[in-house]
Amino acid sequence: MTWETIAKTDAERRAAVLPDPDRYRKTFGWDEARAMLDGLPDGKLNIAHEALDRHVAHGDGDRIALRWIGKDGERRDLTYAEMVRQTARFANVLAKHGLSKGDRLYSLMGREAELYIAALGTLKAGLTFSPLFSAFGPEPIRTRMEIGEANAVVTTASIYRRKIAKLRDAIPSLKLVLILGDEAPDGCVALGPEMAAASDAFETVPMDPEDTALIHFTSGTTGRPKGAVHVHEAVVNHAATGRNALELTPGAVYWCTADPGWVTGTSYGIISPLVNGVTMIVDEADFELDRWYGILRDEGVEIWYTAPTAIRMMMRAGTEAARDYDFSKLRFLASVGEPLNPEAVVWGKEVFGHPFHDNWWQTETGGIMIANTAAMDIKPGSMGKPLPGITAGIVDRADGALRDCATGEIGELALRPGWPSMMRAYLHEPERYAKVFQDGWFLSGDLAMRDADGYFWFVGRADDLIKSSGHLIGPFEVESALIEHDAVAEAGVIGLPDETAGEVVKAYVSLNPGFDPSEALERDIRGHARKKLGPAVAPREVVFRKTLPKTRSGKIMRRLLKARELGLPEGDISTLETDES
Ligand code: ATP
Ligand code: MG
């Protein structure tokens, strides 16, 4: 099927059901979005109230909020009413142990149902919640707990013994360690009996909209992770973007595959879906092809939010692997975290009946900023357009003051500050925070360009841009061309210093099943890239790797490829996952 026919059938469907997106963009206002929430008396707000209490108050308490699927297939359904009771118990446990508004609770566990209860119970009690990825080792845990001055942590006995016990002296702020289950190591509190004994009534603490709610650490793709501070007001953005970018509607079955240890897994894996009243699927297990296809089919998933790394793994298994599954319930597919190669967009349509809708945002922005919404014609490879309420620009900061870039010109992607989920600080790094704001813009550190129709195209991280013989080359463009070669599963592209060209392009690729590294294959891939990109942009050299180095959130760490190539220090690798170079 060609993209033109896909676009046409999709446009017909959308025209029948959806309003004009550009008109909506003009009439949208944050005040209106805020007014759709309940709020609390005297201008107060609490994310937990909007995510849970509100639905019960409005008569939807019996709807399933969370369907949890355990590693071994066991299931647990929690209704909105049950979530209100469980989070109340958790909040009461925190209060009993002397924790109160402003204290900071960290979580360190897999995707257990309790993680979701802890997150919202913490917010309900007025504490700040900071989720850590459960596979972190002791050192990344220690730095993040130190930076955020953790007062409490909720974890499992096994993780505690392996990773936290020996850190306790190093983190004097840590007063309370809650352990899932009925037994706890010395110096810790077992959560099971405490929850059972606690009352299931708790009055959600009214917060100032500017009070801190969440601390999220960035992925560490470009350097040491930063602690981004988000406030309760962010929920206005989570609510609106859930509707405007992800088509979340009350009662819809929704699956966000991200772990709450990363911002996507909290903003769109906890807050946005629950505020919008959906039934969300939580899978405790990690990616496994048949498991994922099975969940999509058996749970009747309607809306699915995932990431390019997972999509590329599915593509690698081939269209055949999906043949026996019925995905007819699916109605909207979205992707975030890394550039989504055009081929992946079209592949979604072929296999699931719908294209993937790419959207762009960062830990710092707290929510989706630029997106291919359901009502838009997708241009495969583009991130889409700024969402209602968001003003985005492309700027150049070469000579001090910022300059607006022309249509089609590559520059830094910038946003007009003021959207509700904008980070309010980098913890303990005020100078770094101040530096990302200039001349009325928030500077994202990503390079992009805007076309004549107002669509934004991702080019690369500012640090990853390659300058070769007067050309500016974005790694994404080269990587996308490479993975269109039948043999290539994934690609990471960097620039290497070169006396004549300034820099030359080098590519690292991993191969699809059935292909083996060889000189002939290398030549063939380079030839394919030259045909697609021209000799100035195509990689001079292609090397084969079993896997590419990635962050635990699935982002290719190009800086590491480069450092290793040049024999430079590797820098902070606390979030590195695969490392079989
Ligand atoms: P660090 O800031 O610590 O280096 P990070 O930037 O990878 O890590 P995140 O905030 O998790 O941490 O990721 C946001 C970044 O991910 C964006 O700035 C962008 O580079 C990339 N990204 C996210 N979504 C997209 C997308 N749709 N297309 C292209 N890139 C994306
Ligand atoms: Mg970043």
Side-chain angles (χ1 to χ4, degrees):
M1 198 182 316
T2 66
W3 181 253
E4 277 66 27
T5 44
I6 293 169
K8 188 160 168 289
T9 46
D10 247 42
E12 281 163 5
R13 179 183 62 81
R14 291 195 307 269
V17 294
L18 294 163
D20 173 355
D22 288 323
R23 201 176 60 209
Y24 181 53
R25 195 171 285 123
K26 280 186 201 124
T27 56
F28 177 91
W30 289 118
D31 287 344
E32 170 203 319
R34 196 174 285 108
M36 289 175 75
L37 297 173
D38 268 10
L40 292 170
D42 304 323
K44 303 287 188 195
L45 191 64
N46 190 309
I47 292 174
H49 175 86
E50 305 303 333
L52 299 176
D53 309 356
R54 184 166 64 104
H55 300 300
V56 177
H58 293 199
D60 293 320
D62 291 340
R63 184 185 300 151
I64 295 171
L66 195 160
R67 163 161 295 164
W68 178 83
I69 305 169
K71 283 189 181 134
D72 301 322
E74 65 273 37
R75 290 146 63 107
R76 191 170 155 198
D77 285 345
L78 289 145
T79 63
Y80 278 90
E82 184 61 18
M83 284 295 286
V84 168
R85 289 192 290 269
Q86 294 286 345
T87 52
R89 287 178 191 274
F90 192 82
N92 279 317
V93 171
L94 298 181
K96 175 185 155 195
H97 287 278
L99 292 164
S100 60
K101 192 171 162 177
D103 284 338
R104 290 155 181 195
L105 180 135
Y106 279 55
S107 65
L108 189 69
M109 65 173 102
R111 287 181 295 281
E112 317 243 9
E114 282 75 12
L115 172 56
Y116 297 78
I117 293 165
L120 292 158
T122 301
L123 295 171
K124 186 172 258 192
L127 275 72
T128 299
F129 180 66
S130 184
L132 295 184
F133 189 58
S134 60
F136 276 149
E139 190 49 34
I141 295 171
R142 188 180 64 78
T143 4
R144 285 162 182 76
M145 285 194 171
E146 250 172 27
I147 298 177
E149 291 153 274
N151 301 118
V153 61
V154 53
T155 186
T156 65
S158 146
I159 294 180
Y160 177 79
R161 287 202 189 90
R162 283 181 290 128
K163 303 179 182 180
I164 305 180
K166 45 184 169 279
L167 301 177
R168 279 196 80 165
D169 290 345
I171 308 163
S173 60
L174 189 60
K175 293 183 286 214
L176 176 67
V177 178
L178 292 168
I179 301 289
L180 292 197
D182 292 334
E183 281 164 37
D186 280 353
C188 305
V189 174
L191 188 59
E194 297 271 320
M195 288 284 279
S199 156
D200 65 6
F202 184 93
E203 197 166 329
T204 299
V205 175
M207 303 297 283
D208 188 279
E210 285 300 312
D211 281 337
T212 302
L214 301 152
I215 298 170
H216 281 301
F217 292 90
T218 60
S219 287
T221 313
T222 56
R224 185 165 185 256
K226 298 148 273 190
V229 175
H230 291 284
V231 297
H232 279 268
E233 173 82 352
V235 69
V236 176
N237 189 80
H238 296 142
T241 52
R243 290 190 298 275
N244 297 339
L246 298 179
E247 298 288 301
L248 299 185
T249 47
V253 179
Y254 164 77
W255 185 24
C256 169
T257 60
D259 188 279
W262 311 108
V263 71
T264 305
T266 302
S267 291
Y268 296 97
I270 304 180
I271 301 171
S272 176
L274 294 178
V275 170
N276 281 299
V278 312
T279 291
M280 60 180 206
I281 304 294
V282 171
D283 182 20
E284 190 194 10
D286 291 327
F287 175 84
E288 204 256 296
L289 190 76
D290 283 325
R291 184 178 175 100
W292 277 34
Y293 284 164
I295 289 177
L296 289 171
R297 176 194 59 196
D298 299 342
E299 305 306 331
V301 174
E302 293 164 82
I303 305 166
W304 183 31
Y305 195 20
T306 188
T309 311
I311 299 169
R312 287 194 296 256
M313 285 199 272
M314 288 182 268
M315 289 170 73
R316 193 171 174 165
T319 312
E320 277 294 290
R323 214 188 42 196
D324 295 338
Y325 292 91
D326 171 10
F327 300 124
S328 57
K329 285 278 173 55
L330 269 175
R331 61 178 162 91
F332 192 78
L333 278 56
S335 164
V336 72
E338 273 216 307
L340 184 66
N341 316 88
E343 204 190 355
V345 177
V346 179
W347 188 81
K349 179 73 188 178
E350 276 170 21
V351 172
F352 301 109
H354 304 275
F356 282 100
H357 296 74
D358 186 21
N359 57 56
W360 175 94
W361 57 292
Q362 337 175 276
T363 308
E364 289 86 340
T365 70
I368 303 172
M369 299 283 107
I370 296 180
N372 290 286
T373 64
M376 283 165 54
D377 288 325
I378 295 178
K379 295 192 187 188
S382 160
M383 316 189 279
K385 293 183 181 184
L387 283 178
I390 301 300
T391 307
I394 303 289
V395 300
D396 178 61
R397 51 167 150 171
D399 306 309
L402 295 185
R403 172 182 70 81
D404 283 337
C405 291
T407 301
E409 188 186 347
I410 294 173
E412 186 162 357
L413 176 55
L415 302 163
R416 287 281 182 218
W419 69 92
S421 65
M422 192 179 82
M423 67 162 172
R424 300 299 199 264
Y426 280 133
L427 267 185
H428 307 307
E429 296 189 276
E431 278 169 21
R432 182 174 213 164
Y433 184 73
K435 254 174 75 188
V436 298
F437 296 96
Q438 197 186 325
D439 300 349
W441 288 106
F442 162 78
L443 297 163
S444 72
D446 284 346
L447 297 174
M449 65 106 173
R450 181 172 40 197
D451 70 14
D453 300 323
Y455 283 70
F456 284 70
W457 298 76
F458 183 81
V459 172
R461 312 266 185 158
D463 301 344
D464 294 338
L465 192 73
I466 303 162
K467 295 184 190 105
S468 184
S469 306
H471 298 279
L472 289 181
I473 302 170
F476 172 48
E477 186 189 6
V478 183
E479 289 161 9
S480 287
L482 287 168
I483 73 164
E484 282 172 27
H485 188 286
D486 284 344
V488 178
E490 279 198 300
V493 163
I494 59 169
L496 293 179
D498 180 82
E499 267 181 24
T500 37
E503 278 185 306
V504 289
V505 179
K506 176 162 181 173
Y508 297 77
V509 301
S510 64
L511 295 177
N512 280 319
F515 292 92
D516 291 312
S518 71
E519 265 177 44
L521 183 58
E522 200 252 354
R523 262 198 313 279
D524 196 60
I525 294 173
R526 273 194 293 117
H528 159 88
R530 234 187 352 263
K531 227 184 298 156
K532 285 246 138 194
L533 301 163
V537 177
R540 187 81 63 87
E541 196 188 341
V542 175
V543 292
F544 300 106
R545 290 279 188 268
K546 244 203 224 113
T547 56
L548 300 176
K550 284 196 202 128
T551 65
R552 292 188 182 279
S553 53
K555 296 166 196 277
I556 296 172
M557 290 173 97
R558 296 176 191 79
R559 70 168 160 100
L560 207 58
L561 289 171
K562 193 161 177 168
R564 287 175 178 173
E565 184 70 46
L566 300 176
L568 298 171
E570 294 193 341
D572 187 304
I573 50 165
S574 60
T575 59
L576 176 66
E577 179 178 54
T578 10
D579 198 18
E580 298 171 34
S581 52

